[in-house]
Amino acid sequence: MRFHILTLFPEVAEACLKSSILGRAEKNGCLSFHVVNIRDYTLDKHKKVDDYTYGGGAGMLMQAQPVYDAWRSVQDTAAAGPLRTIYVTPQGRTFTQRIAGELAQEKELIFLCGHYEGIDERALEETVTDQISIGDYVLTGGELPAMVMIDAIARLVPGVLHNEESTQTESFQNGLLEYPQYSRPPVWHGRAVPEVLLSGDHKKVEEWRLEQSLRRTRERRPELYEAYCNRRDEET
Ligand code: 4FN
């Protein structure tokens, strides 16, 4: 899967994508990343990419021309027609595991990251197919939200995770939180690992884990618990 990231701060994206599992997957050839510096596309002789907003008010806006031309340079390389273009913005629908799963079906995605007060609406109208947010808080730029979404999408691409990395977190796939987990030693600071986990009785262990997952989800994330119960009811 190929990711294009359009940004005024390419070094932020590069640093994130080169590291850890995503960097390894790019070396393996499962993923490819193409970071585009929007500033490289400005026609302004001083390399300016922002300007004041019509109607007044504080702050600067990213201008339409460099954003559109940067997007166009990527879109023009796509043989298969128009690419899904995601504007990461607090005005979008909230990103979820379900959306990650849908987007992971695409061969190529474009992420557009805003800065300052955002982007001239006319460039958005001509380029953006999806507007998505990672949650409700004020940030300085769209780069970190784009990295969050790319991380969640990329790990679903076949071959990106090794077996040990994939199994554990799969339990979120049933919509429940993780059960508590323990490693050596069996007693630490006077705290013992729950008996059942040392018993070697795999059936008992599975029952205990499910029970813990259900209780945690009910107590800490009641809305996830309710969704789980509703899905389970529909199955029967
Ligand atoms: N943020 C809010 C209301 C008004 C503005 C903001 C805000 C970065 C370019 C957007 C923020 C949060 C989640 C992108 C926030 C996200 C961004 C995101 C983001 C600079 C303009 C801006 C009511 C949500 C608090 C700055 C609420 N997911 N403006 O943060 O890009 O994707």
Side-chain angles (χ1 to χ4, degrees), residues 62 87-92 113-119 132-146 149:
M62 286 169 69
Y87 181 38
V88 293
T89 168
Q91 303 189 22
C113 307
H115 246 271
Y116 317 118
E117 298 301 310
I119 301 178
I132 312 183
S133 168
I134 61 162
D136 294 342
Y137 19 78
V138 179
L139 297 175
T140 59
E143 286 75 20
L144 293 176
M149 295 181 205

Side-chain angles (χ1 to χ4, degrees), residues 59-207:
M60 306 294 276
L61 202 63
M62 286 169 69
Q63 291 170 280
Q65 178 273 319
V67 170
Y68 179 76
D69 288 356
W71 174 82
R72 195 56 196 271
S73 77
V74 170
Q75 180 57 62
D76 284 349
T77 65
L83 297 179
R84 240 170 132 171
T85 299
I86 295 149
Y87 181 38
V88 293
T89 168
Q91 303 189 22
R93 62 189 165 128
T94 307
F95 190 66
T96 61
Q97 188 63 26
R98 175 190 295 275
I99 296 174
E102 273 170 31
L103 294 175
Q105 307 306 308
E106 303 284 334
K107 276 217 191 76
E108 253 176 292
L109 287 172
I110 303 177
F111 284 85
L112 176 56
C113 307
H115 246 271
Y116 317 118
E117 298 301 310
I119 301 178
D120 188 304
E121 192 69 20
R122 295 166 296 179
L124 301 176
E125 287 168 1
E126 295 206 6
T127 62
V128 169
T129 60
D130 299 77
Q131 304 207 14
I132 312 183
S133 168
I134 61 162
D136 294 342
Y137 19 78
V138 179
L139 297 175
T140 59
E143 286 75 20
L144 293 176
M147 294 305 109
V148 166
M149 295 181 205
I150 290 169
D151 190 79
I153 296 162
R155 62 176 292 289
L156 300 176
V157 172
V160 169
L161 296 188
H162 293 165
N163 285 335
E164 331 79 77
E165 295 159 349
S166 46
T167 48
Q168 199 40 216
T169 325
E170 292 319 314
S171 60
F172 188 82
Q173 312 304 56
N174 70 16
L176 292 176
L177 299 181
E178 282 292 350
Y179 43 78
Q181 299 178 97
Y182 306 86
S183 183
R184 288 195 296 179
V187 181
W188 178 83
H189 281 200
R191 300 165 185 275
V193 172
E195 274 291 327
V196 59
L197 298 178
L198 310 174
S199 70
D201 184 336
H202 293 300
K203 191 160 175 289
K204 276 264 159 57
V205 168
E206 283 316 303
E207 281 167 10

